[in-house]
């Protein structure tokens, strides 16, 4: 991992605030290849070292992907790896609404009351509340870092859900020990993009940090130039570049 010390410090501070007891949202914008995913990975590594629970999911532009994909990925992985007793305590009375979206729960904890329907419009609020409460329960002991990559491809339902959780568990509601950290391709989000209203709503929120990744300064690089394999490496130091 080269550079990005400032960004890491800013985001780490948000993680600390969330861990101390309060929901935060951080957004990372930048062009493709600038290093968004790399930075998420580095923060995930550091958070895991500190004992913070880390969940990761990403949106996709592949065809046929279901709604809520980042949450299905993040929570599906968590459920498959979690200790069953701890999982049961975290899920509590939310089993039925959660199991409608997360079949892994029934696999790990046994069959729930069978045949709970997939969310209709009426059941959606209940599902959103259940997912938010589940995340709050997961983060209750050690804090939770929820990483959502490639938000520019997120389906509207995923964005609604993020908004709902942010409202319910922090921005205006009961705080959870949760940092939602999302990354997106800045150039792909214009005014008509589904992400735009969310960015607009959060633009001046004290609990939301918005960072823009730009190219690493040349001084952060040690460029290695190898014109021919047999020729000695030319290492251009920061001072010489
Ligand atoms: N700070 C960094 N230090 C070292 N390698 C990096 C850094 N940032 C990005 N990279 C590398 O550059 C490539 C593109 O970065 P990536 O994080 O995938 O970009 P993005 O997610 O913004 O499209 C990856 O191979 C990644 O490992
Ligand atoms: Mg990426």
């Amino acid at each position: 991992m080269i550079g990005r010390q400032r960004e890491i410090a800013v985001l780490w501070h948000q993680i600390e605030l969330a861990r101390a007891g309060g929901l935060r949202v951080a957004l990372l914008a930048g062009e493709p290849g600038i290093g968004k995913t790399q930075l998420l990975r580095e923060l995930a590594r550091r958070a895991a070292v500190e004992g913070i629970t880390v969940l990761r999911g990403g949106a996709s532009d592949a065809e046929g992907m279901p709604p809520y994909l980042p949450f299905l990925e993040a929570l599906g992985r968590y459920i498959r790896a979690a200790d069953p007793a701890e999982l049961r305590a975290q899920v509590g009375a939310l089993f039925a609404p959660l199991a409608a979206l997360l079949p892994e729960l029934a696999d790990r904890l046994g069959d729930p009351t069978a045949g709970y329907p997939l969310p209709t419009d009426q059941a959606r609020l209940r599902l959103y509340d259940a997912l938010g409460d589940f995340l709050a329960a997961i983060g209750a002991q050690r804090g939770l870092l929820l990483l959502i990559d490639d938000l520019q491809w997120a389906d509207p339902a995923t964005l609604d859900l993020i908004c709902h959780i942010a409202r319910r568990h922090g921005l205006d509601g009961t705080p959870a020990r949760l940092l939602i950290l999302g990354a997106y391709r800045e150039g792909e989000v214009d005014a008509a993009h589904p992400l735009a209203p969310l960015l607009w709503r959060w633009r001046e929120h004290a609990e939301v940090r918005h960072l823009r990744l730009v190219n690493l300064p040349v001084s952060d690089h040690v460029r290695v130039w190898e014109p021919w394999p047999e020729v000695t490496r030319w290492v251009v130091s920061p001072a010489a570049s």
Side-chain angles (χ1 to χ4, degrees):
M1 181 83 195
I2 301 166
R4 301 296 187 209
Q5 297 311 315
R6 190 188 76 85
E7 290 85 353
I8 290 173
V10 168
L11 294 171
W12 190 257
H13 182 57
Q14 299 304 306
I15 293 177
E16 292 284 12
L17 290 172
R19 179 161 66 165
L23 181 138
R24 320 291 293 194
V25 176
L27 296 161
L28 199 55
E31 296 313 309
I34 200 87
K36 301 179 296 298
T37 301
Q38 176 85 18
L39 188 49
L40 296 190
R41 218 179 281 134
E42 177 62 15
L43 285 159
R45 191 188 64 75
R46 293 183 185 214
V49 168
E50 291 281 316
I52 295 165
T53 303
V54 181
L55 301 184
R56 303 188 216 196
S60 164
D61 64 343
E63 272 183 40
M65 288 296 125
Y68 310 110
L69 179 67
F71 286 88
L72 300 184
E73 277 185 3
L75 288 168
R77 273 187 215 139
Y78 176 77
I79 291 166
R80 284 194 292 275
D83 169 68
E86 198 177 357
L87 186 60
R88 193 177 298 280
Q90 288 162 346
V91 167
L94 308 170
F95 197 134
L98 289 176
L101 196 72
L102 299 162
E104 296 90 346
L105 269 181
D107 296 342
R108 291 303 309 281
L109 302 182
D111 220 6
T113 43
Y116 192 87
L118 271 171
T120 60
D121 279 350
Q122 290 72 24
R124 189 171 300 146
L125 181 66
R126 190 153 170 238
L127 172 70
Y128 285 9
D129 286 353
L131 285 164
D133 291 353
F134 187 30
L135 290 171
I138 294 172
Q141 296 291 320
R142 297 178 290 272
L144 173 61
L145 172 60
L146 173 63
L147 304 174
I148 305 182
D149 206 353
D150 290 315
L151 270 177
Q152 75 279 354
W153 292 322
D155 58 289
T158 292
L159 298 175
D160 280 352
L161 174 57
I162 293 172
C163 244
H164 185 86
I165 293 170
R167 236 186 14 248
R168 180 174 169 85
H169 285 288
L171 304 185
D172 305 313
T174 327
R177 302 175 74 188
L178 167 64
L179 174 68
I180 300 175
L181 171 53
Y184 68 95
R185 292 184 178 178
E186 196 177 14
E188 294 184 22
V189 178
D190 59 12
H193 192 281
L195 188 55
L198 195 146
L199 299 178
W200 179 251
R201 191 173 322 152
W202 284 349
R203 71 198 181 286
E204 278 169 2
H205 225 296
E207 278 115 350
V208 180
R209 278 308 299 255
H210 207 151
L211 291 189
R212 186 151 172 263
L213 277 195
V214 294
N215 278 319
L216 285 166
V218 174
S219 60
D220 279 354
H221 292 269
V222 176
R223 291 198 205 138
V224 179
W225 181 46
E226 294 179 276
W228 300 282
E230 70 274 19
V231 172
T232 327
R233 284 175 157 210
W234 294 82
V235 179
V236 182
S237 72
S241 60

